[in-house]
Amino acid sequence: MSMTEHKTAQTAMPAPDLREIGASREGEPQSSDRRLFVQLHVFGACEDVSAITEVVKQSGLESAVYLDVNDPKGVGVLVLAENPETFIRESRCLLHAPVFKPLVRKPELTMFGRTYATGREADLEDWLLKKPKRNALNPKWPWAVWYPLRRKPEFELLSKQEQGRILGEHALMGMAYGRAGYASDIRLACHGLDQNDNEFVIGLVGPDLYPLSRLVQDMRKSQQTAKYIQSLGPFFVGKVYWQSPFRET
């Protein structure tokens, strides 16, 4: 390729649009440069959950402390923040507190992702910033199942129409559980953020544990899971021990 051709190719490529785009309102699409980041850290060998909770509470971070169902000495710490700098400043400082030193971190259960829009959101700001916090910090929904997933590459080769049909079938199952009050979700993208190259992090929350497990089971029957999911998990299952109050963004 000649220098002229190279320059032409460069100028032909438009700058990427990094905004989140929602559904149109009065003929104009909603857009936003804001999004929420969420991170889960899991530890074992915790002898005093109340001491961990007090330090997390005093940090002032929007957060939750979970008791790990699968480890009698396990705890999870969930942090939510709009500014990713929070995770290398305040959150990092929190996790270096002396009370965390005896704990054994479980890196395989570390999850980190960001909220995203699909273009169909009726209230984009609520979807990106408020709804995930309402769900994660809802005292009426103490049970939680968190897991990462990765789709097979061939899903990206499908037409947008076919992708929409497959995702729609999957979404209808989740919406049925939501309408019944059994479960709600926190959906995060983690492209380039996950140590194992996962693409999404899902949090399922609800008043009881069984419906969350049943929802995962029912989702296995959808075409997306049965045909286009390459990996799912590992799963963290916990119940809230303490959570900060939900604050409007």
Side-chain angles (χ1 to χ4, degrees):
M1 178 182 291
S2 68
M3 184 63 70
T4 301
E5 289 172 329
H6 181 67
K7 288 182 177 180
T8 302
Q10 284 185 317
T11 56
M13 181 67 70
D17 185 352
L18 301 183
R19 299 173 302 166
E20 304 292 343
I21 306 297
S24 295
R25 278 186 173 178
E26 299 179 355
E28 294 294 328
Q30 301 172 80
S31 65
S32 176
D33 288 317
R34 302 171 67 188
R35 53 192 60 80
L36 190 71
F37 290 84
V38 182
Q39 187 170 52
L40 175 69
H41 285 282
V42 181
F43 304 87
C46 178
E47 300 289 349
D48 189 351
V49 179
S50 61
I52 297 292
T53 299
E54 186 60 28
V55 172
V56 174
K57 184 177 181 180
Q58 292 301 319
S59 74
L61 292 167
E62 291 187 282
S63 52
V65 176
Y66 293 113
L67 299 177
D68 188 341
V69 169
N70 292 308
D71 180 352
K73 293 186 178 182
V75 294
V77 177
L78 186 77
V79 176
L80 307 93
E82 186 175 344
N83 187 350
E85 293 282 340
T86 300
F87 298 94
I88 56 171
R89 292 197 308 242
E90 293 87 348
S91 181
R92 185 182 181 91
C93 183
L94 164 66
L95 298 175
H96 275 82
V99 72
F100 280 93
K101 288 184 178 179
L103 276 56
V104 178
R105 195 171 74 89
K106 302 179 181 181
E108 69 277 10
L109 290 173
T110 298
M111 303 179 208
F112 184 48
R114 55 180 172 79
T115 55
Y116 65 97
T118 64
R120 298 186 293 273
E121 291 74 21
D123 187 335
L124 184 61
E125 181 177 329
D126 185 75
W127 176 264
L128 293 173
L129 302 173
K130 299 177 183 179
K131 183 180 178 182
K133 291 195 288 187
R134 280 201 310 271
N135 289 348
L137 304 178
N138 188 337
K140 295 181 180 180
W141 296 338
W143 287 98
V145 175
W146 288 90
Y147 60 95
L149 67 87
R150 182 180 179 183
R151 293 193 188 117
K152 293 180 179 178
E154 49 263 41
F155 181 82
E156 299 300 330
L157 300 178
L158 299 175
S159 68
K160 292 297 182 183
Q161 292 79 4
E162 183 64 7
Q163 287 183 6
R165 185 190 65 77
I166 292 170
L167 295 175
E169 175 202 19
H170 198 76
L172 286 174
M173 292 184 182
M175 291 168 62
Y177 274 75
R179 286 194 301 270
Y182 292 141
S184 193
D185 65 358
I186 300 104
R187 281 181 268 171
L188 309 169
C190 62
H191 301 80
L193 304 177
D194 182 83
Q195 59 188 340
N196 296 314
D197 195 28
N198 287 303
E199 299 171 328
F200 299 95
V201 171
I202 307 297
L204 302 176
V205 295
D208 298 297
L209 180 58
Y210 168 66
L212 306 184
S213 173
R214 180 60 185 269
L215 175 55
V216 174
Q217 177 184 346
D218 287 351
M219 289 290 194
R220 299 294 174 100
K221 302 172 185 176
S222 72
Q223 189 173 6
Q224 177 186 226
T225 304
K227 189 174 181 180
Y228 290 107
I229 294 297
Q230 180 168 306
S231 62
L232 201 65
F235 287 73
F236 171 77
V237 184
K239 187 176 183 182
V240 169
Y241 183 82
W242 173 87
Q243 59 194 176
S244 58
F246 166 66
R247 300 196 297 261
E248 288 280 350
T249 303

